[in-house]
Amino acid sequence: MRSVAIGLIVAIVASVGWLVLHRTDRPAPRLVPQPAAPTATPAEPPAPVIQPEVAEPVAAVPPEPAPPRAPDAQLPKGKMVTVVLSEPPATRYGSAQATESDHHYANLVRELSHGRAQYDANLGRAARELVYQSTEFGEVVPSEVRQFAIASAGALAADSTFQQIRTNDEGQGPLKQAITAVVNDREGQDGPLRVGVGEVYRHGLPLPRHIGVVGTRVGVNIEPLAVRLAAGATWQVRGRLVAAWRDLKALVLQPDGSESEAAVTVVGDALTLDVVAGPHAGALDVQLVGEGPSGPGKIVQLRAYIDQNPPDRLTAAVPADESAQTTFAAAEAYALQLLNADRARHRKPALLWDNQLAQIARAHSDDMRDHHFFGHQSARTGLPADRLKAAHYLTSSNAENVAHNGTVFEAQEGLMHSLGHRRNILSAEPTRIGIGIALVIEGKRRRLWLTQLFAKPALTWTAREVEAAIRLRIAQARAAQGLSALLVDDELAATARQAAQEAKPDEFAGTATVAVVQAKDHNLFEGSLNASAALTADPDKMALPPVTLHPQARKLAIGAAKMADSAQFAIVILVLQ
């Protein structure tokens, strides 16, 4: 009787093969064991005490209670291996030539998808490499290896799925089964589905035929693009959008770890992006992100190499056994440790666990699992900001990552290799984290949906404390420039405070004018009165009006008010000259 073994790996999706007609074995990839790298487990710092320095006595701000910690989890120890490609890496994106096998598989993909999916010869080469590597790794090919194989094949991808089947059946049945599993995956609709198929035969095995199918949705077609660059050269990316993406920008990671953004020009559906290679040799990563049909997300991620040829090998971590993690709580605890370990490696403080954030994140993961979608935008709960608002959780800043993988380790690795998700993980802005995991275990197969919800909780300062903090900043700035201190005018301060209290977010532009008119109506000043108004969730980062540092300024009045159901403060500053 013919037998079939099936494995499914679902990659990350805000940052996650074909018939070999000659049927000859390729040289086995060389797997060189490496010592396991130590994983830092930083201790959590105490919860911050929000207490501004003030120029005059104000009521003390009590420390916020520390949020409960997530339960401890043991960090499973994996191993490091060096993978050598079975084919030389491509020197250009989009340069693969379709073979006779590709034409055969393209017909199958078109038939089984009813014309919805496009066949891609570059993905075909990637699938062949992936299915070959899977003969060494077992069912799970690490996400880092998967991304490396796709890029090394010159294929475009945002996030990908990989279906593999091992069989001794020589017919079309297993092949159609693998393709059907990929073309029926409806998660993510932000671009046309591209599919590649590859096969490898390993003679002498009980199941010698190894079939691999890769699927990805990419919302842009990129013109053939060189992979190697000289230092200082401009990488000219040209293409056309094939899905309704808007507000595009490019995130850039240079070999030395420096990050930046590059402008993306879109005229009609034509896309233009110029990225300047830095002075350091190594990998240059570029990710296009924007607002897509399913909400914010990434369009595609590209890699070039500065002053070196694309490598033919990669050292990567093999996921450790997570079978002991049979509850979402254990998986979430492990996810927290992996995230904070990555932050520690980049000299960032650990994030504090927040139970309320975790509940919001967990509900979104459950939503994705139960309603068969993947992304930040839900038909039931909207976007992350909507979910936070519904939970009455006020933040001065927040961000969300989502992943869909077979293991927690794979999810975190994939997020760290996606520039937008990596930026959220390593950001200095948030102080709290909630992680929610929906876990499905079917025999030896595990599938999980992971949501990371980052937040900096809204300040708990009173309006008077905000006023005092801003007065102190102005006094310190004037002292630094050798200017005399400004006198505080209590009557003007009452007017500024009233204007702040009456301010409305949708009519805020006229708030400063209202304060001046009220002060004039009450004959509260002689001379020149300058007014400014701002809405801010973090008064310490608000830009001070230039007039506060004017040598002729004499008096100062500040009014603040907390906006209802918001993390923002309305602030009015009056300066009398």
Side-chain angles (χ1 to χ4, degrees):
M1 179 181 293
R2 291 170 176 171
S3 58
V4 177
I6 303 174
L8 174 65
I9 304 170
V10 184
I12 297 168
V13 176
S15 112
V16 90
W18 289 249
L19 178 64
V20 181
L21 293 178
H22 56 280
R23 297 186 180 179
T24 58
D25 283 343
R26 302 176 185 279
R30 298 184 291 281
L31 295 172
V32 184
Q34 304 289 332
T39 304
T41 309
E44 296 180 352
V49 177
I50 304 175
Q51 172 76 64
E53 296 182 66
V54 293
E56 61 187 50
V58 297
V61 181
E64 294 185 10
R69 286 188 54 176
D72 290 331
Q74 296 297 318
L75 280 172
K77 295 182 179 180
K79 62 179 180 179
M80 303 297 290
V81 297
T82 296
V83 176
V84 180
L85 295 174
S86 61
E87 299 181 42
T91 59
R92 295 176 68 84
Y93 279 100
S95 61
Q97 298 297 313
T99 65
E100 182 179 348
S101 301
D102 289 325
H103 292 302
H104 172 66
Y105 295 126
N107 289 332
L108 284 177
V109 168
R110 185 165 46 253
E111 171 192 340
L112 296 172
S113 70
H114 305 287
R116 292 184 296 104
Q118 304 172 2
Y119 188 82
D120 187 317
N122 300 281
L123 280 176
R125 180 178 173 182
R128 188 165 60 246
E129 185 68 50
L130 279 173
V131 74
Y132 181 62
Q133 297 294 347
S134 74
T135 65
E136 299 299 322
F137 281 103
E139 286 194 4
V140 177
V141 177
S143 62
E144 189 175 2
V145 174
R146 184 167 57 246
Q147 293 166 2
F148 175 65
I150 291 174
S152 296
L156 299 179
D159 302 296
S160 62
T161 59
F162 174 47
Q163 175 75 41
Q164 62 177 354
I165 289 181
R166 301 169 184 173
T167 182
N168 58 12
D169 187 338
E170 295 294 328
Q172 296 277 41
L175 182 61
K176 290 184 177 181
Q177 183 179 359
I179 294 173
T180 299
V182 172
V183 299
N184 285 346
D185 181 13
R186 299 300 181 92
E187 291 188 346
Q189 300 294 327
D190 291 336
L193 178 64
R194 302 183 185 187
V195 177
V197 183
E199 289 196 64
V200 169
Y201 283 80
R202 298 298 299 271
H203 299 298
L205 297 179
L207 303 175
R209 186 185 185 191
H210 297 253
I211 301 169
V213 181
V214 176
T216 186
R217 293 184 181 273
V218 180
V220 64
N221 287 329
I222 300 295
E223 296 177 5
L225 185 65
V227 173
R228 175 165 178 160
L229 297 172
T234 299
W235 205 29
Q236 296 182 327
V237 181
R238 304 290 184 265
R240 291 191 176 276
L241 293 173
V242 292
W245 285 89
R246 56 186 175 82
D247 300 333
L248 272 62
K249 63 180 179 180
L251 309 179
V252 180
L253 179 65
Q254 297 282 353
D256 63 351
S258 60
E259 299 180 20
S260 62
E261 291 186 9
V264 180
T265 301
V266 178
V267 178
D269 63 355
L271 175 151
T272 301
L273 167 65
D274 292 334
V275 179
V276 177
H280 302 280
L284 169 69
D285 289 318
V286 178
Q287 184 180 98
L288 285 174
V289 298
E291 290 285 337
S294 300
K298 64 181 177 181
I299 306 172
V300 69
Q301 184 157 321
L302 304 167
R303 170 168 285 190
Y305 293 91
I306 302 174
D307 283 346
Q308 67 179 47
N309 291 325
D312 66 352
R313 64 197 63 204
L314 173 75
T315 299
V318 177
D321 181 16
E322 297 181 16
S323 60
Q325 297 171 11
T326 57
T327 66
F328 69 82
E332 289 168 2
Y334 180 39
L336 174 67
Q337 288 190 304
L338 289 176
L339 182 146
N340 276 333
D342 280 330
R343 285 180 63 89
R345 276 189 284 273
H346 290 83
R347 300 182 180 180
K348 305 292 184 182
L351 298 180
L352 295 176
W353 180 264
D354 188 304
N355 276 340
Q356 189 176 4
L357 288 177
Q359 290 171 2
I360 300 169
R362 196 173 301 130
H364 184 58
S365 293
D366 289 344
D367 188 15
M368 289 190 290
R369 176 198 60 197
D370 297 341
H371 295 95
H372 310 290
F373 77 99
F374 184 81
H376 300 288
Q377 186 164 351
S378 164
R380 286 151 296 281
T381 63
L383 290 168
D386 300 315
R387 293 188 279 276
L388 287 165
K389 183 177 181 180
H392 305 289
Y393 192 109
L394 298 180
T395 70
S396 57
S397 65
N398 62 81
E400 181 181 83
N401 286 345
V402 292
H404 185 188
N405 286 82
T407 69
V408 175
F409 180 89
E410 285 284 283
Q412 181 64 20
E413 284 291 294
L415 291 171
M416 281 296 291
H417 285 88
S418 173
L419 299 192
H421 299 103
R422 181 182 188 273
R423 173 178 288 189
N424 288 339
I425 291 170
L426 301 181
S427 172
E429 187 70 16
T431 58
R432 304 288 178 84
I433 181 69
I435 301 175
I437 290 178
L439 185 63
V440 174
I441 301 176
E442 300 169 343
K444 293 183 178 181
R445 182 182 300 177
R446 295 162 60 91
R447 298 182 69 193
L448 61 87
W449 291 255
L450 176 146
T451 302
Q452 296 172 338
L453 191 52
F454 305 83
K456 182 177 182 180
L459 295 177
T460 57
W461 294 359
T462 66
R464 294 297 180 92
E465 289 161 349
V466 170
E467 295 168 6
I470 295 175
R471 283 198 300 272
L472 177 61
R473 287 184 60 201
I474 293 172
Q476 291 173 334
R478 289 183 66 86
Q481 295 188 19
L483 301 173
S484 60
L486 299 178
L487 298 176
V488 175
D489 188 309
D490 291 334
E491 290 184 321
L492 281 176
T495 299
R497 194 169 295 132
Q498 181 180 350
Q501 292 168 348
E502 295 175 352
K504 298 178 180 179
D506 54 349
E507 301 175 1
F508 195 78
T511 300
T513 301
V514 169
V516 173
V517 171
Q518 290 177 347
K520 186 175 182 180
D521 289 345
H522 292 85
N523 298 315
L524 298 182
F525 69 94
E526 292 181 359
S528 175
L529 182 65
N530 292 275
S532 61
L535 277 175
T536 181
D538 193 345
D540 279 341
K541 293 185 177 180
M542 183 191 75
L544 296 177
V547 70
T548 59
L549 300 181
H550 197 284
Q552 302 302 318
R554 296 184 293 112
K555 291 185 178 182
L556 173 70
I558 300 174
K562 183 70 177 291
M563 304 301 290
D565 299 323
S566 171
Q568 292 187 312
F569 294 91
I571 298 172
V572 177
I573 299 177
L574 302 177
V575 177
L576 185 62
Q577 291 181 298

